[in-house]
Amino acid sequence: MQFRDLGRQYTRLKPAIDKAVLEVMSSGHFIMGEAVPKLEQRLAEYVGVKHCITCANGTDALYLALRSWNIGPGDAVFVPDFTFFASAEVVAMCGATPVFVDVDAATFNISVDDLEKKIRLAQEKGGGTPKAIIAVDLFGLPADFNMLRPIAQKHGLLLLEDGAQGFGGSIGSKRACSFGDISTTSFFPAKPLGCYGDGGAVFTDNDEWADMVRSLRVHGKGSDKYDNVRIGLNSRLDTMQAAILDVKLTVFQEYELAAVNSVARLYGERLTDAIGKPSIPEGFGSSWAQYTLVLESAEQRAMLQQRLKEEGIPSAVYYPKPMHRQSAFAVVAAWECPVAERLSSTVLSLPIHPYMEPAEVQTVADVVNGL
Ligand SMILES: *Cc1c(COP(=O)(O)O)cnc(C)c1O
């Protein structure tokens, strides 16, 4: 069994993907070929925002967003303590200070109560000038933007949605990657919408920030790429990846998002209620980047992981270390995040993807239920 079976997906999509790749090969337009703007337009329409600017990966997407806001030394940016390293790394890349915020035990997403507390602490203890919040849509579930928006407004903070795992999620009728002042995603192969290499995108309704991101992604270009008005980077999405994503976005919309939700629903039915299963709040939709259990202890987790392994079932720990314990951030004031601390020693993610068969879900559930 595969954790995320990309081979099965390719078998299904092979004719369309091979054709799309070969077309790019014979066009000779490997950089910024016509598949790129076409994809950007489709993504912007799907998400429901004015601008989509693709880039080289999800980390760059976050970095480009912060740079377009001029986040830099002396600024504080609030980041959940329980996330992938890149969500906080980009803050430090800008020279700003990440302030780690605890997460909600049920949704794994940034805790609005602790956010208010950490904003207060940053102001009192001089942790930098609060400038922005990075809210992560962890494991496919959008953060609680209905609660986050008023807090951002009250404190004059910009809201950045890290939708690297959230593409396809929703709150009410609105789609993930439309909730931030700027939102970003990643097309890393294992993400809900993945390409065959690295890729990412920035989404916003704001014309000025969109222009800034377009400039920054090509060496800070001005009127053309040999007129450089600021220091930027080289962060374009390859034409080949755009062509692959064009095929994958179609099936994502047609059936993959529905299929992965069916798999999650089946897990919910087949797994015993004695185990800590993920729950999706009323009105929210997840794209199920991960299906993550919370065990009672680190020992119980290790035992389950071992039993799954014996049955040939892969599992993974996302994430084994809270951000404030990463040695790269050791210099940053560590304010308490007890929930993130506990989750990092008790979570376990099970195989999930749109091509998973009901019998496979049952096989996994049998091992988990036998714990
Ligand atoms: C994967 C991921 C990123 C980084 O995306 P890359 O394309 O790998 O650079 C950022 N944030 C989160 C939450 C992620 O899961």
Side-chain angles (χ1 to χ4, degrees), residues 248-325:
K248 290 220 197 180
L249 177 59
T250 301
V251 298
F252 184 84
Q253 287 177 257
E254 280 177 2
Y255 62 83
E256 281 189 352
L257 182 59
V260 79
N261 270 279
S262 298
V263 173
R265 215 171 306 121
L266 194 59
Y267 261 132
E269 287 164 21
R270 299 297 161 85
L271 288 168
T272 160
D273 289 332
I275 210 96
K277 293 183 270 191
S279 63
I280 304 302
E282 189 65 35
F284 283 65
S286 176
S287 54
W288 296 103
Q290 304 295 342
Y291 191 90
T292 304
L293 305 178
V294 183
L295 284 306
E296 281 165 16
S297 64
E299 294 70 31
Q300 195 192 36
R301 176 174 75 184
M303 196 200 302
L304 177 57
Q305 196 159 24
Q306 180 58 32
R307 286 195 195 164
L308 288 166
K309 196 175 163 193
E310 283 161 14
E311 299 299 323
I313 300 166
S315 62
V317 174
Y318 300 122
Y319 294 93
K321 222 185 225 194
M323 285 302 115
H324 77 268
R325 289 207 182 279

Side-chain angles (χ1 to χ4, degrees), residues 49-61:
V49 298
K50 192 166 170 194
H51 304 280
C52 168
I53 306 108
T54 54
C55 63
N57 56 69
T59 307
D60 280 3

